[in-house]
Amino acid sequence: VCPLCGTPHHRECYKQNGECGNYDKHNEGFRWTPSVENKRVTEDTAPLPPLDNVVENGQSTPPQPNTFFGANPLSQFPKDLEEDVSTEEVAGFVQINAIKYIRNFFYTKSNKKTFNWGAFFLAPYWFFYRKLYKLGAIFMALTLLLTAGFNVLPPMQTLYNDMAEWTEKYSVEDADEFTEEEIAQAYKEQQELIFSNPTGVILMLTQGALSLALQLFIGFNANKWYYKHTITSIKKVKSEESDPQKQRLLYFKAGGCSVGATFLAILANNMIVMAVEMLLTYIK
């Protein structure tokens, strides 16, 4: 279902067209309504809610999604997310997974905690995907600092080199051919290289703990940052352009997702890591 006008599509048809079938009507404020033929009217079927439905029961959080066929999916939310920022404008800016993020935005506005699993697992690249480039650059730098910064320390290098040699010696692919004596020897050597370098082990555990803490911090705050970015971007467009039709086009351009920026971020990160490894090799 199109998040802007509510037009339902077959999934494959939408993928083939790449846009809503009524895309050319969006600038006119078009909203799809089911025809009489499309309504499944029975004695047990409740009537569809009005498209301009708002929360009138005083609740600060949005109700559960409406599952009636043909209803505008935005009708489950209040018309405005903030003063001078409508829910429809937010949907036009967010685009992909708009309903999920709008729901999270209302929770965030009500000071309820939300967690973004995509940002947790895919940071810092999630920020580039959602066009939060400044935050993406900041968290990419922190991630590189946690990895490359720790890895340059001599105890960490020694631990990694010893583990690499142990892994090469006792390859998992040959594990089925190991005798009991060889397996016991492998465990013994592994314990020896770990206990012989306690500083390296502590640094490795510290690195893992800090990385996990950073990911949790991002996961718990990503929706809040994205909410602020969305509202700020929409208000900026409104301050620079008064024509509603042009505003809609600017929302589409400024919002949505960027696969290209994500790819460039991954490429830049890999190049920096390679450069650091080459520098360390040269120093050695």
Side-chain angles (χ1 to χ4, degrees), residues 54-61 63:
V54 297
V55 177
E56 298 178 344
N57 55 9
Q59 294 180 350
S60 59
T61 57

Side-chain angles (χ1 to χ4, degrees), residues 60-134:
S60 59
T61 57
Q64 293 299 315
N66 191 320
T67 57
F68 285 106
F69 178 78
N72 189 319
L74 297 181
S75 64
Q76 64 191 275
F77 305 109
K79 287 184 177 180
D80 295 327
L81 179 58
E82 285 206 3
E83 184 179 357
D84 199 34
V85 177
S86 69
T87 304
E88 185 174 353
E89 289 171 332
V90 174
F93 182 88
V94 175
Q95 299 171 38
I96 298 176
N97 289 333
I99 300 302
K100 181 188 77 172
Y101 280 106
I102 290 173
R103 185 177 297 110
N104 286 331
F105 291 168
F106 274 104
Y107 288 149
T108 299
K109 183 181 178 182
S110 303
N111 295 320
K112 285 196 171 186
K113 291 292 184 182
T114 62
F115 192 83
N116 191 312
W117 288 101
F120 172 77
F121 285 111
L122 301 176
Y125 307 120
W126 177 86
F127 293 98
F128 292 97
Y129 182 66
R130 283 290 171 180
K131 299 184 179 181
L132 282 76
Y133 301 125
K134 290 182 180 179

Side-chain angles (χ1 to χ4, degrees), residues 162-189:
D162 291 342
M163 290 298 296
E165 292 178 2
W166 180 88
T167 303
E168 184 177 355
K169 182 177 180 181
Y170 298 101
S171 174
V172 177
E173 298 176 356
D174 302 327
D176 294 337
E177 302 176 2
F178 290 163
T179 64
E180 292 185 3
E181 291 77 10
E182 289 176 328
I183 293 176
Q185 180 64 25
Y187 281 120
K188 181 180 178 180
E189 291 184 14

Side-chain angles (χ1 to χ4, degrees), residues 210-237:
L210 291 175
S211 297
L212 178 60
L214 179 62
Q215 286 181 279
L216 288 171
F217 176 72
I218 291 173
F220 278 111
N221 290 279
N223 289 328
K224 179 177 67 175
W225 293 327
Y226 191 34
Y227 170 59
K228 181 178 179 181
H229 169 74
T230 300
I231 298 300
T232 302
S233 299
I234 291 175
K235 288 185 176 181
K236 181 180 179 181
V237 168

